[in-house]
Every structure is written in structure tokens, then in C-alpha cells.
């Protein structure tokens, strides 16, 4: 047992038990640590993005970063993919482009299902591929849907966040995110969140996907999601 790791997790567990957070003195007393040791461990956890304070001296609270490390259980993920698969097929056929489903995985999203366009020139995306949340339409719509996730990702890479802040703000206002030939030359994309942890995207050659067409596709994705949305329960 590595003592510093054990102590850090003890602190996280104590904070997790307090809905309003816990102050340094409470945490030191609760874990049996002297205040200097507790403060140093808490400072490290805060720098890593796992806890936060509203101001110096205030209570420490968990961020959403821990939840980002945990994927839905296999059964729930399978159920989500099964329910979303017809949506991917419908919007891919209607748009003529590749459609894919991504789930939050840390500061990335993980592609878990895809329906590829049958046109000779198309975007090839495969299940199992991981892509940073910042810089892609699918990632931006997920960041726009989850304030805790956004806070954590922004803290990890403030410079890159600033480069894409407008696109993320636009995604929050409009309910969908666009990538107009900006990240991959010749490729444009539109993405719509299914939940704060999952989103659907359509992507293909910019020559076939002007902005107006992407907005139409976003509306179609929403309509298809409404057809399969579970009543009175969550997706995951």
C-alpha cells in the first residue's frame, strides 16, 4: 500500500460524503492527517482537476472529473447502442453521409458505433477510435451539455479551450455543434447530444455539406431521437 495514494483517496471519499463539500480542518481531522499534509494533498488533487474551491479557504467539492473516468456499465451501453442504432441508420441514409455515436471517456470521446456512407468519397470512422473533446463538433456538443465536464476539460487545456470557446458557446445556445471544414480539411460535421454523456454526429465532404444542410441534418437527428427516446427513464 502506497501511503500517499491511500491518503489522497481517503480525502476524496470524505469530500464525496459531504454534499456541500468539506473544509481543510474537517478533512484533516476526519482522515487523521496533520493540516500541512492534508493541504498539500488537496492542492495536488485540485491542480489535477478532481476537486475545486469557490474561493481560498472555502469548502472543497468534487468536480465531475471522477465520473469521466467511468464508462457506463456494459449492459447499459449495449442498450443505448441498440436503441440508437436505428437513428444512425436513418440519418446516414437520409443524409448520404457517415453517422456515428460517441460517449464521453475522460477528456476524449470514444466512438462506440458507426454507420458509414456507401458513397465512394466518405468519412471513415470506426468504433474504438478516441478523439479529444475539444476541437470536434461531437466533443463540443458534449461539453455544451455538461457544465462539470466543461469545467474540468477547460482547466486541463485552457489555451485550446480558448481557441474553440465560441463553437462551444454556439453549441450550448443552438443545441447542436457544427464543424465547418475547420479541423480536417475538406470535412464538415454536425453533432447533437443524446445525453450529457453521449452524442450523434454526421460528417462528410464539405462540398456536400454546406452550413444550411448541416442545420437540416441536426433537425432530422432530433426528430429521429424523439422516435426512440425512452419514456420516463434515462438513456443510460
Amino acid at each position: 500500500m502506497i501511503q500517499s495514494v491511500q491518503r489522497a483517496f481517503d480525502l476524496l471519499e470524505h469530500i464525496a460524503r459531504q454534499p456541500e463539500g468539506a473544509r481543510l480542518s474537517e478533512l484533516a481531522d476526519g482522515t487523521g492527517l496533520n493540516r500541512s499534509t492534508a493541504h498539500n494533498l488537496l492542492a495536488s488533487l485540485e491542480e489535477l482537476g478532481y476537486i475545486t474551491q469557490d474561493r481560498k479557504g472555502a469548502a472543497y467539492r468534487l468536480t465531475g472529473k471522477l465520473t469521466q473516468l467511468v464508462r457506463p456499465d456494459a449492459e447499459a451501453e449495449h442498450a443505448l447502442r441498440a436503441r440508437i442504432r436505428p437513428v444512425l441508420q436513418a440519418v446516414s441514409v437520409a443524409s448520404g453521409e457517415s453517422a456515428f455515436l460517441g460517449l464521453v471517456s475522460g477528456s476524449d470521446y470514444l466512438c462506440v458505433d458507426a454507420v458509414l456512407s456507401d458513397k465512394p468519397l466518405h468519412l471513415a470512422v470506426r468504433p474504438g477510435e478516441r478523439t479529444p473533446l475539444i476541437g470536434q463538433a461531437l466533443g463540443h456538443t458534449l461539453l455544451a451539455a455538461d457544465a462539470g465536464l466543461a469545467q474540468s476539460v477547460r482547466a486541463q487545456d485552457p489555451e485550446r479551450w480558448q481557441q474553440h470557446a465560441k463553437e462551444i458557446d454556439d453549441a450550448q445556445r443552438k443545441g447542436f455543434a457544427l464543424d465547418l471544414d475547420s479541423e480536417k480539411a475538406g470535412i464538415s460535421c454536425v453533432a447533437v447530444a443524446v445525453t450529457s454523456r453521449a452524442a450523434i454526429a454526421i460528417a462528410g465532404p464539405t462540398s456536400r455539406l454546406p452550413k444550411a444542410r448541416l442545420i437540416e441534418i441536426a433537425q432530422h437527428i432530433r426528430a429521429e431521437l424523439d422516435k426512440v427516446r425512452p419514456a420516463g427513464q434515462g438513456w443510460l
Side-chain angles (χ1 to χ4, degrees), residues 44-55:
S44 295
L45 290 169
E46 186 172 21
E47 182 67 24
L48 290 168
Y50 289 101
I51 61 175
T52 188
Q53 286 179 297
D54 293 332
R55 62 186 184 283

Side-chain angles (χ1 to χ4, degrees), residues 129-198:
E129 292 181 2
R130 298 176 69 95
T131 305
L133 290 166
I134 300 180
Q136 303 286 336
L138 193 146
H140 292 169
T141 199
L142 289 168
L143 291 168
D146 187 332
L149 174 64
Q151 181 183 28
S152 175
V153 171
R154 182 176 186 173
Q156 291 176 54
D157 195 345
E159 183 176 344
R160 187 155 171 76
W161 176 280
Q162 194 58 41
Q163 293 172 0
H164 294 277
K166 184 179 184 305
E167 292 122 290
I168 298 167
D169 288 343
D170 286 346
Q172 190 169 39
R173 286 189 300 103
K174 297 175 181 177
F176 59 85
L178 298 178
D179 181 354
L180 301 171
D181 198 21
S182 58
E183 282 299 305
K184 295 181 179 179
I187 297 293
S188 289
C189 178
V190 61
V192 175
V194 178
T195 71
S196 60
R197 314 297 294 175

